[in-house]
């Protein structure tokens, strides 16, 4: 979990405006684009595509007059990088991107092309790469249908998430990553042969040498289940939530925070197509789950689960569970669902102030743990960067809890808070810091200066969820012989 606290607005000095640059060519950063419509193989410049002409033909028929063809790879990449603000001109104001009329709360975009706006395009950045897909919409795009009514968006997210997990699993160096990138063409052919994802759990379920399961099995296997399990039934459920929060401590700027959750599942159950039912529950004061995306193995869903969206304003009638997922699980561990939630308050409230006094800077940091949050951390630390100044040459400080360290590069203060807040649930740090002259080789960072300086918190709490979401042995049903062992 991380929580970001920009510095209080009392600082009077602001750093230089970032210098402009030439637009990035699409080969300047790793880019992986796959999906139900998209995908042209291009192994140069670290870019990989794949198209499905049969699916594009279906799109023409479904969309009718509202159909917009996917442009060639060059124009498509240019439009995508522009929409993601990766053209090298991020400091310039563009009404289409930065206007108040456009507040994008999802990873679904509309790309400007010569033939009109290409929508929907699912895209996100992770681990130095861009993942994108253009899902099939089986209806007219004029007017644009609600996102929750387009099943291809969930499939695209699932496939791209599977590719992300595949590329980032157990890689120790760049050579291993390059080897995995080289396996992508065969992997996508296996998981999405004709444009419809048959399998999204791509981690460990395929290798170039693995044969295709033989046909003629007495009971037809689901497309994502290539083998059967023998032994005592076991079900393991793990819920992980991450919170992202930005606090400004200003009356004219609203603080923001949101929880992102993922439920991973491992079902060892006998049978070619076993049936399992998993329910997620909330306490009476729990925060409703929204934007729920499920694995393709889920066989049915309540309409209330699909229509709960963070884009819409919250009201008292928001569906608060239980969230039931009947499914035929794959043999390997998989992500059952993703969700977001808007909890009432951030888990940790913070205040940060930085003032220049003569040749030194005076800093003040206050943190308060909310009383509803479990006071037992695996780790908790606050990082205060000073990347646009010279090395730290002098530091005097006073802290009420934990310990303060200076990074090896002498450009970062690390406040190690530890595993617990004190009984008051409040801690503070005050001090003065001085810097030496900055070297000419030092890279300038337009974020860590002036009123955009910040403190960033990192922490982890075990056996606790901010939303209150939980599951237990009474929430899981296994329709198989024998009493199952359930871990949640």
């Amino acid at each position: 979990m991380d929580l970001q606290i920009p510095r209080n607005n009392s600082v009077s000095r602001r750093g230089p405006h970032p210098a402009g640059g030439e637009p990035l060519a699409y080969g300047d950063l790793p880019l992986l684009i796959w999906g139900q419509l998209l995908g042209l193989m291009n192994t140069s410049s670290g870019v990989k595509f794949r198209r499905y002409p049969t699916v594009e033909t279906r799109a023409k028929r479904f969309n009718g007059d509202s159909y917009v063809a996917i442009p060639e790879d060059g124009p498509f990449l240019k439009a995508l990088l522009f929409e993601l603000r990766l053209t090298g001109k991020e400091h310039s104001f563009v009404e289409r991107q930065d206007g108040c009329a456009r507040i994008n709360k999802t990873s679904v975009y509309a790309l400007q092309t010569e033939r009109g706006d290409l929508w929907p395009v699912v895209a996100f950045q992770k681990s130095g790469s861009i993942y994108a897909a253009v899902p099939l919409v089986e209806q007219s795009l004029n007017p644009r249908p609600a996102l929750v009514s387009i099943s291809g968006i969930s499939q695209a997210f699932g496939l791209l998430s599977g590719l992300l997990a595949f590329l980032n699993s157990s890689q120790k160096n760049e050579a291993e990553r390059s080897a995995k990138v080289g396996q992508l063409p065969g992997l996508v052919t296996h998981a999405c042969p004709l444009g419809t994802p048959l399998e999204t759990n791509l981690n460990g379920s395929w290798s170039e040498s693995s044969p295709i399961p033989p046909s003629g099995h007495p009971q037809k296997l689901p497309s994502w289940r290539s083998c059967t399990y023998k032994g005592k039934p076991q079900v393991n459920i793990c819920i992980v939530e991450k919170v992202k929060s930005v606090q400004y401590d200003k009356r004219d700027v609203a603080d923001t925070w949101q929880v992102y959750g993922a439920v991973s599942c491992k079902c060892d159950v006998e049978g070619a197509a076993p049936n399992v039912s998993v329910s997620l529950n909330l306490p009476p004061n729990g925060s409703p789950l929204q934007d729920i995306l499920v694995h393709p193995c889920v066989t049915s869903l309540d309409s209330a689960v699909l229509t709960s969206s963070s884009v819409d304003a919250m009201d008292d009638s928001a569906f608060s569970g239980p969230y039931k997922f009947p499914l035929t699980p794959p043999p390997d561990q998989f992500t059952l669902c993703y969700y977001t939630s808007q909890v009432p308050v951030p888990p940790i409230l913070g205040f940060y102030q930085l003032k220049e006094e003569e040749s030194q800077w005076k800093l003040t940091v206050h943190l308060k743990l909310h009383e509803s949050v479990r006071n037992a951390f695996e780790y908790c630390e606050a990082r205060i960067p000073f990347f646009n100044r010279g090395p730290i040459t002098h530091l005097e400080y006073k802290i009420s809890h934990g310990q303060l360290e200076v990074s090896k590069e002498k450009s970062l203060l690390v406040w190690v808070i530890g595993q617990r807040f004190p009984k008051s649930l409040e801690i503070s740090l005050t001090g003065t810091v001085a810097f030496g002259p900055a070297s000419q080789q030092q890279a300038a960072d337009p974020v860590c200066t002036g009123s955009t300086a910040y403190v960033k918190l990192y922490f982890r709490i075990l056996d606790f969820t901010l939303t209150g979401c939980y599951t237990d042995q009474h929430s899981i049903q296994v329709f198989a012989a024998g009493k199952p062992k359930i871990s949640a």
Side-chain angles (χ1 to χ4, degrees):
M1 300 180 180
D2 59 73
L3 180 147
Q4 188 167 315
I5 307 171
R7 182 189 45 72
N8 184 272
N9 199 33
S10 60
V11 179
S12 59
R13 181 173 294 182
R14 181 180 292 270
H17 199 282
E22 292 298 321
L24 288 173
Y26 61 78
D28 289 346
L29 73 168
L31 182 62
L32 302 166
I33 303 181
W34 306 97
Q36 194 164 4
L37 281 180
L38 184 60
L40 286 171
M41 295 307 301
N42 183 346
T43 56
S44 63
S45 304
V47 185
K48 291 188 177 294
F49 293 93
R50 180 161 182 166
R51 288 181 185 268
Y52 295 95
T54 56
V55 184
E56 293 189 62
T57 301
R58 292 170 58 198
K60 292 179 183 179
R61 185 173 71 251
F62 283 124
N63 302 158
D65 294 338
S66 61
Y67 172 76
V68 176
I70 299 175
E72 296 300 320
D73 55 346
F76 178 88
L77 286 175
K78 184 178 180 180
L80 178 63
L81 295 176
F82 174 82
E83 194 67 25
L84 296 177
R85 295 189 62 79
L86 296 173
T87 59
K89 297 183 178 180
E90 285 73 27
H91 60 278
S92 302
F93 179 84
V94 179
E95 179 64 32
R96 175 183 171 87
Q97 296 175 322
D98 308 315
C100 295
R102 182 180 184 269
I103 301 178
N104 188 22
K105 293 186 176 182
T106 69
S107 295
V108 180
Y109 301 92
L111 306 188
Q112 280 186 320
T113 70
E114 293 181 354
R115 302 179 183 180
D117 286 355
L118 178 62
W119 181 92
V121 177
V122 177
F124 59 85
Q125 294 176 259
K126 196 71 174 179
S127 303
S129 299
I130 301 174
Y131 298 79
V134 184
L136 174 67
V137 181
E138 298 179 338
Q139 57 183 312
S140 174
L141 300 177
N142 190 15
R144 290 180 181 176
L147 296 181
V148 295
S149 67
I150 305 174
S151 60
I153 290 181
S154 296
Q155 295 177 6
F157 270 116
L159 181 63
L160 296 177
S161 298
L163 290 171
L164 170 65
F166 172 77
L167 288 176
N168 290 284
S169 64
S170 64
Q171 57 172 341
K172 299 179 181 179
N173 50 50
E174 190 63 30
E176 290 188 11
R177 179 177 175 85
S178 298
K180 285 198 169 188
V181 171
Q183 295 179 10
L184 285 178
L187 178 67
V188 173
T189 300
H190 171 80
C192 190
L194 297 175
T196 299
L198 303 181
E199 183 176 5
T200 57
N201 180 28
L202 309 179
N203 219 0
S205 63
W206 179 90
S207 66
E208 286 187 331
S209 59
S210 62
I212 299 175
S215 58
H217 196 281
Q219 183 177 0
K220 185 178 180 181
L221 293 172
S223 55
W224 57 81
R225 192 175 185 87
S226 58
C227 60
T228 59
Y229 170 80
K230 298 293 183 182
K232 183 178 179 179
Q234 300 183 61
V235 178
N236 296 284
I237 304 291
C238 179
I239 302 174
V240 177
E241 290 186 347
K242 296 182 180 181
V243 59
K244 292 187 177 181
S245 172
V246 180
Q247 302 174 31
Y248 301 92
D249 193 44
K250 295 171 63 176
R251 292 183 178 180
D252 57 337
V253 181
D255 297 341
T256 63
W257 63 91
Q258 192 168 36
V259 172
Y260 301 84
V263 181
S264 59
C265 184
K266 178 71 165 66
C267 299
D268 295 326
V269 185
E270 289 189 357
N275 293 320
V276 177
S277 178
V278 177
S279 295
L280 302 180
N281 306 294
L282 294 176
N285 59 343
S287 301
L289 309 185
Q290 302 170 315
D291 306 323
I292 298 176
L293 298 174
V294 300
H295 191 275
C297 71
V298 175
T299 56
S300 63
L301 273 179
D302 191 310
S303 60
V305 175
L306 291 174
T307 56
S308 180
S309 171
S310 61
V311 178
D312 303 324
M314 286 287 292
D315 55 44
D316 296 335
S317 62
F319 183 65
S320 57
Y323 305 86
K324 296 183 179 180
F325 303 96
L327 62 138
T328 302
D332 301 313
Q333 179 171 317
F334 65 101
T335 301
L336 175 62
C337 68
Y338 298 93
Y339 62 84
T340 67
S341 183
Q342 187 65 55
V343 296
V345 293
I348 299 177
L349 299 174
F351 169 83
Y352 176 35
Q353 189 176 64
L354 191 64
K355 291 183 177 180
E356 185 177 16
E357 295 183 354
E358 298 179 353
S359 60
Q360 295 182 327
W361 289 81
K362 183 177 181 181
L363 63 91
T364 303
V365 182
H366 293 293
L367 301 176
K368 180 178 180 181
L369 180 68
H370 193 267
E371 58 186 9
S372 65
V373 178
R374 184 181 181 185
N375 190 10
F377 296 86
E378 182 178 358
Y379 62 84
C380 182
E381 67 179 34
R383 300 181 183 180
I384 310 173
F386 301 102
F387 293 124
N388 285 328
R389 299 176 177 86
I392 297 174
T393 57
H394 176 76
L395 174 64
E396 293 182 4
Y397 65 90
K398 180 180 179 181
I399 54 176
S400 62
H401 184 78
Q403 61 185 26
L404 190 66
E405 301 174 353
V406 181
S407 69
K408 191 174 182 180
E409 298 77 13
K410 298 189 179 300
S411 60
L412 177 73
L413 295 181
V414 181
W415 183 7
V416 181
I417 298 169
Q419 297 180 330
R420 296 185 67 87
F421 274 61
K423 290 184 178 180
S424 64
L425 303 182
E426 296 186 33
I427 57 177
S428 63
L429 162 65
T430 57
T432 57
V433 60
F435 305 93
S439 62
Q440 295 181 351
Q441 293 79 15
Q442 184 176 358
D445 188 338
V447 173
C448 302
T449 186
S451 61
T452 58
Y454 62 86
V455 174
K456 195 167 187 178
L457 270 66
Y458 298 86
F459 62 89
R460 174 180 286 180
I461 306 175
L462 300 179
D463 301 322
F464 175 80
T465 58
L466 289 169
T467 61
C469 180
Y470 71 94
T471 186
D472 53 34
Q473 59 181 358
H474 304 293
S475 306
I476 301 173
Q477 292 180 300
V478 178
F479 302 95
K483 184 178 180 181
K485 178 182 177 181
I486 296 175
S487 301

